[in-house]
Amino acid sequence: ASGFGLFQRSYQLLRALKFPIQYQFHLSDFVDYTTPELAEQVPSPNSGVYVPQALRIPLSKKLPLFERAMETIARDYEFVTLADWARTV
């Protein structure tokens, strides 16, 4: 929802501090709630219920951002499962 710029700045800070990165997607990140079949499942902005902005963004706009983020991380880190990483620390 905040775009690649915020991700990139946060990533650069974590990288500079040599922190490990635990990057996680939510299942809802890969559901397109803007389709007519699912749009009614998301409360309207005036309903008084918090709805993450990401639920109002079409999947077709989110996937290129996810791909770019993963490519950025992959240049500097090796991807492992959380279970594998936990065994190493």
Side-chain angles (χ1 to χ4, degrees), residues 33 37-43:
Y33 285 103
E37 304 85 34
L38 299 176
E40 64 187 37
Q41 294 184 26
V42 178

Side-chain angles (χ1 to χ4, degrees), residues 40-53 55-56:
E40 64 187 37
Q41 294 184 26
V42 178
S44 69
N46 300 329
S47 67
V49 176
Y50 171 74
V51 178
Q53 181 181 344
L55 296 184
R56 292 190 211 107

Side-chain angles (χ1 to χ4, degrees), residues 8-52:
Q8 189 170 26
R9 287 188 296 280
S10 300
Y11 174 76
Q12 288 169 343
L13 178 62
L14 291 171
R15 175 95 171 94
L17 295 172
K18 299 184 187 294
F19 284 180
I21 294 177
Q22 190 272 326
Y23 200 82
Q24 161 181 332
F25 289 106
H26 296 275
L27 181 58
S28 62
D29 291 330
F30 296 97
V31 175
D32 192 342
Y33 285 103
T34 66
T35 62
E37 304 85 34
L38 299 176
E40 64 187 37
Q41 294 184 26
V42 178
S44 69
N46 300 329
S47 67
V49 176
Y50 171 74
V51 178

